[in-house]
Amino acid sequence: MATYSKTSIYAYIKKGEFFLDEECTCPLGPVYQCEDEFFFDEGCQVRLNCKVMPETPPAVPPAPQADEPPTASTTPSVEVAQHESWTENQTRYLINLMGESTAAGQERPKSIAELERRIKNTRGHQKATFEKVAKGLSAAFDMAFDQKRVARKWQTLTDGYKRAVATNNTSGSAPSKFNFIHEMDELIGARHDINYVITGNQDHHASIG
């Protein structure tokens, strides 16, 4: 039997490879075998004290449960712009949506007061109406409309419409500059003694009474 030096170093074996560190990141290089032992050098003077390291299986992420919402890693988030100020197109579309939401198979109201009663009298209908209209605006203009802001805008429109009608029905008064009187008239099926007067690029109603 051959006689070997007692000099030895530690080595770690993983997947048949020899390494100098336990993390198995630093390869040892050529290894020499004499009988049943491994050596660092070809003369078999430096013996390797070998430790076989367990193989770590690759981590498999758990399958998502059926009722779990998608995570940020699987579904990229899309930031939607918040609605800040009203354009004329957005305002006209708001009026159109309010007409669709309040009709629901009924005849058009004959006055703005009747329209307001329809919205307010049905329990829970007022909030549901503005939520529905806000969703319609969000989808049409690709931005987030808040239902409370929609409700405030609608109140501003109804107040402006009432003042415009009163102004246009007052003899000797200058025509109202409320820009959406025609759309509001169509919404409630109103008929006033009024015609259009062209002022700049805007259409306004004027009294002919």
Side-chain angles (χ1 to χ4, degrees):
M1 177 180 297
T3 302
Y4 306 114
S5 168
K6 293 182 179 180
T7 303
S8 63
I9 61 174
Y10 285 96
Y12 304 90
I13 303 174
K14 188 172 184 180
K15 296 183 178 179
E17 300 280 342
F18 288 80
F19 298 88
L20 289 172
D21 58 326
E22 289 190 43
E23 291 77 19
C24 299
T25 59
C26 184
L28 184 59
V31 173
Y32 304 90
Q33 184 175 4
C34 292
E35 297 181 357
D36 295 330
E37 294 186 301
F38 295 96
F39 293 84
F40 180 73
D41 59 322
E42 190 174 1
C44 300
Q45 297 299 307
V46 182
R47 184 168 59 85
L48 299 178
N49 291 328
C50 298
K51 180 180 179 181
V52 178
M53 305 302 291
E55 296 186 14
T56 305
V60 179
Q65 300 297 321
D67 55 348
E68 286 185 358
T71 62
S73 60
T74 58
T75 303
S77 59
V78 178
E79 186 174 348
V80 179
Q82 297 293 316
H83 174 253
E84 296 293 339
S85 58
W86 291 89
T87 65
E88 288 195 6
N89 283 341
Q90 292 168 355
T91 302
R92 289 189 172 91
Y93 196 61
L94 163 61
I95 296 170
N96 181 67
L97 289 176
M98 287 298 296
E100 293 178 357
S101 298
T102 55
Q106 306 178 63
E107 293 184 357
R108 286 186 298 179
K110 297 299 187 291
S111 67
I112 196 68
E114 182 181 343
L115 175 61
E116 290 177 319
R117 283 195 299 271
R118 286 189 187 182
I119 297 174
K120 294 178 181 179
N121 286 349
T122 305
R123 184 177 180 181
H125 182 60
Q126 186 172 10
K127 181 179 179 181
T129 296
F130 290 122
E131 286 178 347
K132 180 180 179 181
V133 170
K135 289 180 180 178
L137 286 162
S138 299
F141 294 98
D142 196 24
M143 60 179 63
F145 283 73
D146 179 69
Q147 62 99 2
K148 292 182 180 179
R149 287 175 58 85
V150 171
R152 287 196 296 270
K153 180 62 175 179
W154 175 248
Q155 186 63 52
T156 300
L157 284 170
T158 55
D159 290 345
Y161 177 70
K162 292 173 186 176
R163 288 193 296 269
V165 170
T167 297
N168 289 343
N169 286 339
T170 300
S171 178
S173 297
S176 170
K177 294 184 178 181
F178 181 67
N179 291 343
F180 306 102
I181 194 168
H182 177 62
E183 289 82 355
M184 295 292 285
D185 277 346
E186 290 186 341
L187 177 65
I188 64 173
R191 294 292 181 270
H192 303 293
D193 293 330
I194 48 181
N195 283 331
Y196 278 119
V197 173
I198 307 301
T199 305
N201 293 327
Q202 299 293 338
D203 290 349
H204 304 294
H205 289 74
S207 172
I208 62 171

